[in-house]
Amino acid sequence: MSVQRDTYLQIHPKDNVLVALQNLTQGTIINFNGATFALTDSVAAKHKFSLTDLQPGDEILMYGVLVGRAVVPVPQGGPISTQTVHHAAGSFKLGERKLSWHKPDTGKYADKTFMGYHRADGSVGTNNYWVVVPLVFCENRNINVLKEALSEKLGYKKAKSYEGDVDQLIDLYQAGKSVQEILNADIQAGADKARSKRLFKNIDGIKFLNHSMGCGGTKEDSDTLCGLIAGYITHPNVAGATILSLGCQHAQVSILQEQIKKRDANFSKPMVVLEQQKVGTESEMMQQALKQTFAGLVQADQQQREPAPLSKLCIGLECGGSDGFSGISANPALGYVSDLLVSMGGSVILAEFPELCGVEQELSDRCINEEKANYFMKLMTSYNARAEADGSGFYANPSPGNIRDGLITDAIKSAGAAKKGGTSPVMDVLDYPEKVTKGGLNLLCTPGSDVESTTAEVAAGANIVLFTTGLGTPTGNPVTPVIKLSTNTAIALKMPDIIDINCGTIIEGEETIEQAGERILDYVIQVASGEIEPKAVQLGQDDFIPWKRGVSL
């Protein structure tokens, strides 16, 4: 059986493997660049097969870079798998600056603005939230007490409830139904409860953040936690904050105040800081927290959306639950969005350093100067060395789901993940949890772990996050809208409750990467203006996980 060319793809002219765009059966005849051969085995969609005979030690090239080496002989037309190929990545060193790039046509967006919240420091928020956060895990319970007291009364409790579903199960049990009958029962989905009327019309929500840090760990962890929290307090999407401290923990209020000043020397947002060991009883602390937070909300409610240029957008680029289509559909579409925004003076953040393994040379060459290039390479090298010292390494990043869907080495995953950053020069390189201060493409050192990385991108200033997924990842962020993009149509149809934009249209030939990129940016502008709530916001997916600087890949 012969197949049409659009059932497989060579990503880069140097590649010696092809990607199956649909399931291909054993014996399928492949015609490519004058070569004709049959597949030796069936190859599932998203997986790869060899263009040539490979011997142990031979290089596997994808995206034009080294992504693995054969460990056993692989015949022409043979599948690339964890049994035949192991991770390998090219070495890197300081090279010459390669800063030229093709700026996309931004004429369509010449007069475009978004409706945002203008802050005193010149930044513009896409939302207007109040955050309530502890400096130490000992205060998590008090944070939850405040949430119970404030959320519903002020109109911020999420509408969706499954309490009605539980009522139905109770009725079945009380009616004497067996366990099997209960399991087989048709439970009607609980109807959405009407939202409580918001008291404060211009405040999008009160976000209550919990974490497990602040004491009992290293000083580095407590200091970076204060930096991370400072990033949220000074974030353009945050109008003000309530901070609860115990008093004796490593993460001291004074450290937090230093980190706030570092990010905003003229910080003027309303902020409530209460220390339990100074206040005394829980009830006294809660009364003070409620009164002072309420007063702060009154002040924050005075702000309203006003027009802002697209240059005030700072987009975090994220991927999670990646698959073999990520690097050829949704990720390059985000890359085009990145280039569009950079061309208009905006900022983008490319993070997840374990998922940049193998493309260090390209990214370091794109750094605006040698100082930035050396810093990027230092961060990559030290991060990997620290992981290897603990018995792991970047090579261990791919998850079972990644591997099952075609990302069998970290270098394959990384080469596709890097496409989110587009082609523009790297203007700055940041360590966790630093803040973006420059327009253009910024590299931020974070883990590849989705929630830790998203948490860090937002602390760095991302007021929108674009999150690609091939397997389906139900996550979001407390203060920044996370827009979920599927790499394939199947997952968009299977999980429509979490997917906002389908990029499987690129795989199916329905639109180009550039067309998809413009469609994404149009959606971003609507979200930034408060016209659309992404699915993660609708579902209340307020995930917040600070990174402990140990091994997290």
Side-chain angles (χ1 to χ4, degrees), residues 153-456:
K153 291 293 184 181
L154 297 184
Y156 296 115
K157 185 175 181 180
K158 277 297 174 182
K160 188 67 177 178
S161 172
Y162 291 94
E163 293 176 0
D165 301 45
V166 178
D167 287 337
Q168 294 177 61
L169 294 173
I170 292 171
D171 290 343
L172 290 169
Y173 174 74
Q174 291 179 336
K177 300 297 182 182
S178 68
V179 170
Q180 195 58 50
E181 286 175 317
I182 291 173
L183 291 172
N184 293 335
D186 182 18
I187 300 295
Q188 300 299 315
D192 285 357
K193 292 182 179 178
R195 283 182 182 268
S196 301
K197 190 174 180 180
R198 288 183 182 176
L199 179 63
F200 300 111
K201 306 301 182 186
N202 297 317
I203 298 178
D204 295 306
I206 307 173
K207 298 297 182 173
F208 302 85
L209 315 184
N210 282 332
H211 59 80
S212 60
M213 297 176 64
C215 201
T218 66
K219 188 176 185 299
E220 179 187 29
D221 281 343
S222 60
D223 286 350
T224 55
L225 174 68
C226 288
L228 183 82
I229 295 173
Y232 275 70
I233 295 170
T234 59
H235 193 280
N237 288 3
V238 173
T242 298
I243 309 300
L244 299 190
S245 168
L246 178 59
C248 57
Q249 74 277 352
H250 286 315
Q252 287 287 297
V253 170
S254 60
I255 301 174
L256 174 66
Q257 291 170 333
E258 290 172 7
Q259 291 293 332
I260 291 173
K261 187 175 182 180
K262 182 178 177 182
R263 288 160 176 78
D264 183 358
N266 300 308
F267 179 75
S268 59
K269 293 178 182 179
M271 183 171 73
V272 177
V273 180
L274 293 170
E275 203 155 77
Q276 188 169 6
Q277 289 172 344
K278 288 183 178 179
V279 174
T281 66
E282 176 193 305
S283 63
E284 177 60 28
M285 185 176 183
M286 289 300 98
Q287 286 182 21
Q288 289 192 32
L290 288 169
K291 287 188 291 185
Q292 293 182 43
T293 298
F294 195 91
L297 290 168
V298 172
Q299 181 180 344
D301 192 47
Q302 303 306 307
Q303 287 206 270
Q304 298 184 28
R305 291 185 183 271
E306 299 176 29
L310 299 187
S311 60
K312 293 297 184 179
L313 289 175
C314 179
I315 295 182
L317 307 167
E318 190 67 32
C319 54
S322 299
D323 70 351
F325 286 165
S326 294
I328 56 180
S329 63
N331 287 354
L334 259 59
Y336 189 70
V337 174
S338 299
D339 286 349
L340 284 170
L341 191 60
V342 169
S343 296
M344 294 184 285
S347 305
V348 294
I349 305 171
L350 181 64
E352 301 178 290
F353 273 26
E355 296 174 14
L356 300 179
C357 175
V359 292
E360 295 97 336
Q361 190 66 59
E362 177 202 341
L363 288 172
S364 63
D365 289 348
R366 285 167 56 188
C367 288
I368 195 70
N369 56 43
E370 291 187 355
E371 178 186 2
K372 302 296 183 187
N374 280 321
Y375 188 43
F376 170 61
M377 292 187 289
K378 176 185 175 183
L379 288 172
M380 289 291 290
T381 301
S382 61
Y383 191 165
N384 188 51
R386 191 167 181 173
E388 288 183 340
D390 285 337
S392 188
F394 286 172
Y395 65 87
N397 174 271
S399 70
N402 295 149
I403 294 168
R404 184 183 65 242
D405 272 47
L407 302 178
I408 63 169
T409 73
D410 184 52
I412 291 176
K413 183 178 180 180
S414 295
K419 294 300 178 184
K420 301 192 300 292
T423 62
S424 69
V426 175
M427 302 306 293
D428 207 357
V429 179
L430 307 170
D431 196 8
Y432 174 85
E434 292 179 318
K435 179 182 178 180
V436 169
T437 60
K438 296 180 180 178
L441 175 60
N442 292 259
L443 303 182
L444 173 66
C445 183
T446 75
S449 172
D450 311 338
V451 179
E452 287 174 308
S453 180
T454 301
T455 299

Side-chain angles (χ1 to χ4, degrees), residues 487-518:
T487 70
N488 62 87
T489 299
I491 203 66
L493 295 175
K494 185 178 183 180
M495 304 179 77
D497 58 325
I498 68 167
I499 300 298
D500 298 293
I501 297 175
N502 175 30
C503 293
T505 49
I506 297 171
I507 300 296
E508 293 151 7
E510 294 181 9
E511 63 180 345
T512 64
I513 287 171
E514 293 78 13
Q515 289 169 335
E518 290 188 357

Side-chain angles (χ1 to χ4, degrees), residues 480-547:
T480 288
V482 176
I483 300 170
K484 212 70 61 62
L485 306 98
S486 66
T487 70
N488 62 87
T489 299
I491 203 66
L493 295 175
K494 185 178 183 180
M495 304 179 77
D497 58 325
I498 68 167
I499 300 298
D500 298 293
I501 297 175
N502 175 30
C503 293
T505 49
I506 297 171
I507 300 296
E508 293 151 7
E510 294 181 9
E511 63 180 345
T512 64
I513 287 171
E514 293 78 13
Q515 289 169 335
E518 290 188 357
R519 179 164 60 93
I520 294 164
L521 184 53
D522 291 342
Y523 189 88
V524 165
I525 294 170
Q526 290 181 289
V527 171
S529 298
E531 297 171 7
I532 296 177
E533 273 195 346
K535 304 292 178 63
V537 176
Q538 295 175 29
L539 293 170
Q541 292 170 337
D542 292 341
D543 300 314
F544 176 81
I545 301 181
W547 179 26

